Amino acid sequence: MKTVLIEDQEQIDEIIKSCDLCYLGVIDPENRPYVVPMNFGYLDGYIYLHGASFGKLIDSLKMNPDACLTFCTDTVLAYQNEEVACSYRVKGKSIVARGTIEFIVDYDQKVDALNALMAQYTDRKFTYNSPAVKNVEVYRMKMDDFTAKEFGKYNDQTFPWMKKHGR
Ligand SMILES: Cc1cc2nc3c(=O)[nH]c(=O)nc-3n(C[C@H](O)[C@H](O)[C@H](O)COP(=O)(O)OP(=O)(O)OC[C@H]3O[C@@H](n4cnc5c(N)ncnc54)[C@H](O)[C@@H]3O)c2cc1C
């Protein structure tokens, strides 16, 4: 099994587009790490996020906008020998990105961000009521400092059994 660095932007975009969730890591007000699952949108090299204007997450981000976003594709279980624990792998692709959260306050930019969020999940178009847009916190992180990796990519010669069994 191999772990492969992914550098091709198309493949990176594919990984992000295939995810329903990302994991947003922040530093909380007690200076401890805090990671939560989040829905997101992806547009023009930015990850867009939205959420409540109160709570530990937003308190953390307002205090320290440094953030880490992790994405992981659906996974596939693989093994070389069913009876050998250390031959098991969970195959998948993931991205770890670091950056600074920017809050979006302009109404129209918020709507664009919400559209980007919805576009991750559906082709349907939406309108939003004004209080909802005003009350929601919308923020984004630029995807310019990240690594993407593929885990459990097998080598045909090393693992002919797995290829035979389509794993
Ligand atoms: C599938 C999914 C999608 C989500 N999408 C979004 C989104 O797009 N935007 C958004 O704002 N939130 C989303 N959430 C919720 C998000 O994970 C946080 O729970 C939420 O943002 C509130 O965080 P908070 O720190 O402000 O909560 P607070 O109420 O301030 O947290 C209080 C305590 O609750 C616990 N806690 C908080 N969140 C979670 C959690 N997810 N799981 C377990 N314990 C928790 C922590 O121990 C925390 O200290 C999603 C959750 C799931 C499961």
Side-chain angles (χ1 to χ4, degrees):
M1 293 280 188
K2 289 195 291 188
T3 301
V4 177
L5 197 63
I6 301 170
E7 285 173 332
D8 176 56
Q9 189 60 46
E10 241 175 71
Q11 281 192 59
I12 289 157
D13 291 348
E14 251 174 53
I15 295 172
I16 297 173
K17 283 285 170 197
S18 78
C19 293
D20 286 336
L21 279 180
C22 64
Y23 294 86
L24 171 62
V26 301
I27 302 296
D28 78 8
E30 286 80 45
N31 217 26
R32 296 171 67 203
Y34 185 55
V35 182
V36 287
M38 296 283 278
N39 299 120
F40 69 94
Y42 182 43
L43 182 69
D44 296 337
Y46 284 89
I47 295 297
Y48 288 88
L49 302 152
H50 78 314
S53 57
F54 54 88
K56 183 167 167 169
L57 178 62
I58 208 76
D59 289 349
S60 306
L61 285 171
K62 296 250 160 140
M63 200 165 279
N64 183 348
D66 292 341
C68 180
L69 282 172
T70 300
F71 303 84
C72 184
T73 60
D74 288 344
T75 55
V76 178
L77 181 65
Y79 47 82
Q80 190 186 359
N81 181 334
E82 212 168 350
E83 290 170 9
V84 179
C86 64
S87 78
Y88 278 70
R89 297 286 184 277
V90 177
K91 294 162 55 164
K93 297 175 187 173
S94 54
I95 296 177
V96 175
R98 290 163 195 274
T100 304
I101 294 292
E102 292 170 49
F103 286 92
I104 299 174
V105 289
D106 176 78
Y107 187 94
D108 293 334
Q109 284 179 15
K110 271 179 143 181
V111 169
D112 290 346
L114 294 172
N115 284 333
L117 263 140
M118 295 311 299
Q120 180 74 14
Y121 304 98
T122 175
D123 292 333
R124 193 179 278 269
K125 302 292 173 209
F126 297 88
T127 54
Y128 310 89
N129 69 54
S130 163
V133 174
K134 284 180 182 151
N135 290 334
V136 73
E137 287 283 356
V138 179
Y139 38 100
R140 68 180 187 176
M141 193 181 98
K142 195 166 174 54
M143 286 291 290
D144 62 357
D145 177 9
F146 64 87
T147 48
K149 291 188 177 184
E150 177 169 4
F151 291 81
K153 190 168 184 176
Y154 65 83
N155 171 330
D156 291 359
Q157 286 176 330
T158 318
F159 298 106
W161 183 91
M162 283 177 42
K163 194 175 180 210
K164 193 171 129 202
H165 289 78
R167 294 178 191 277

